[in-house]
Amino acid sequence: MLIDANSLSSETLVTEVCIVGGGPAGITLARQLAAEGLRVLVAESGGIASEEAANQLNAIDYTSNFTYRPHHTNRCRQVGGTANLWAGRVVSFQFHPVLDREWGTLPALLEASKSRAHATLGIAQRFVAACPVSEGEVVSLWGKKIERFNRRSTHLRAGDFELVYHLTYRAKATERQGRFTAFEFQAANGRSITVEAAYFVLAAGGIENARTLLLMEEVLKPRMGANFRNVGKYLMDHPKIVHGSFYFENFPASLQKLKMQVAKEGKLKYGLKRVNPRTGVRAYANLIETEPTLLSKWFTQAMSLYKRVKKNLSGPGALPEPSQRIPSVHLESKELIPHAFLYRLRSLALFSKKKDNWFRVVCYVEQRPEAANRMVLRHDTPDAHGLPTPELHMRLGPEAMEEAVQLYRDLQRHMAALGGTLTFQEQALRTSANYTDASHHLGGTRYSIDRDRAVVDESLRVIGCPNLFVVGSSVFPTGSVENPTHLIVNLAHYLASVIVEEHRTAALSANETAILKASGR
């Protein structure tokens, strides 16, 4: 049930589970809990559709040696969250026994809900089984219909829970006897709303989960002790570079899987992955067919015009800081041209059937968890609700860029053996400013078997807080190079089982206590 917070008559809402965030993690969790008979309320800051006022609350700053794309939208405050923006890529996380040691036994616990996560994202299990992954490969799957988790989603329409939109959590809580009893929210019209619940879950995304815990420092620090120092730290992304091209006179059949393929159950595409346990870094290469020749010229002209217009409108004083400048040759057209305009340009490809045998290389590298990659709160630049805005301090290390070089060398040798030519510049791959973010915000409220590096425990419960949980990419202790969507949904299914089991145990204990009291024991 969708409810506009602006229309609520009561200032207090009562439920069993309160979930902050109406994106993929929050809605998946809510539906699973409701199916088990729990009363669930999801609080979403945005509206049913994208709204400028809500998205202004996503204000954020970066200090980084790689480029955060200034014209690329990667966060969305509305029902469905960033699922309204993504391309629908579903990739299973490949856990490595050494590099992903901090996950502990959690991967084994997630195995039980792995297939349910695929089903939630519209990927049939037979489709997954038909696309095996060998060592050094990554397979991306797309369902027939991309799951957006918005008002058109069956997960929302069929779920027996309440989703209240235009409701923003203000990071204030009431507690009693060591447990949180109520969270304070603010509706878009300014009214204060209190939600009372037995369990509270932060499912607001990689940035907001960490920001919210930082804002709750006054109540969390005494509970978490030394573990609070980990909040907002160990942030990661999948920095990427679009660089290099290769050509085949005749494209070999053995590499057809590297092209986009259409199957009965959806689409699939393989990529190449390099794992280096010695350096602790992974890298992933995705090969992209070039646009038709005529369309490529139009893209070049459109980007040139776009840059000239932007320069004239901005003026010298409005340029980004040096670390934030846009690399002139390493961004894709979709990162410089508004999406709606880009898709209209691409539709013109129907008039240009000829394609060259040229391919681009898109490479993603892993950021290993480092405490120096962190979030701080900017009290001097509050948002519309008066809350401090986040600033990310990020650094791409030389070992990650060196791994990209090694991957390109491997790729060059492999392609040469098949009659292809790969052209790239190693210095370009070793220059951090040529890399951009991948819109994958990971870490910040991490789990780890090394408790002194953790924020949540294996149950995704905030350490020292018996009824406060976190779910989403922010709990990842490591990020590898896979798209995080499937693992996020998998974690939501897992957390649902944790809360259901805990709720049943508590109910049984309460019944036993009532029986003992009634019998006079």
Side-chain angles (χ1 to χ4, degrees), residues 170-249:
R170 290 185 50 78
K172 294 182 179 180
T174 302
E175 53 184 324
R176 185 173 62 247
Q177 296 180 348
R179 295 176 68 89
F180 292 111
T181 57
F183 272 17
E184 295 182 26
F185 294 82
Q186 182 174 321
N189 60 10
R191 288 181 62 220
S192 294
I193 305 290
T194 298
V195 178
E196 298 178 353
Y199 304 95
F200 296 90
V201 182
L202 299 182
I207 298 296
E208 285 303 306
N209 283 346
R211 179 195 183 202
T212 300
L213 292 187
L214 286 173
L215 290 170
M216 295 176 70
E217 178 178 4
E218 185 176 343
V219 294
L220 290 182
K221 199 168 184 179
R223 292 165 167 265
M224 296 180 66
N227 289 95
F228 186 81
R229 68 188 177 193
N230 298 320
V231 177
K233 294 182 179 178
Y234 302 100
L235 296 179
M236 302 168 287
D237 201 318
H238 295 140
K240 72 172 184 176
I241 182 169
V242 183
H243 174 72
S245 60
F246 68 91
Y247 175 78
F248 280 98
E249 186 68 35

Side-chain angles (χ1 to χ4, degrees), residues 61 377-383 388-389 391:
D61 288 314
L377 297 182
R378 294 279 303 271
H379 293 269
D380 58 330
T381 55
D383 65 16
T389 54
E391 178 178 279

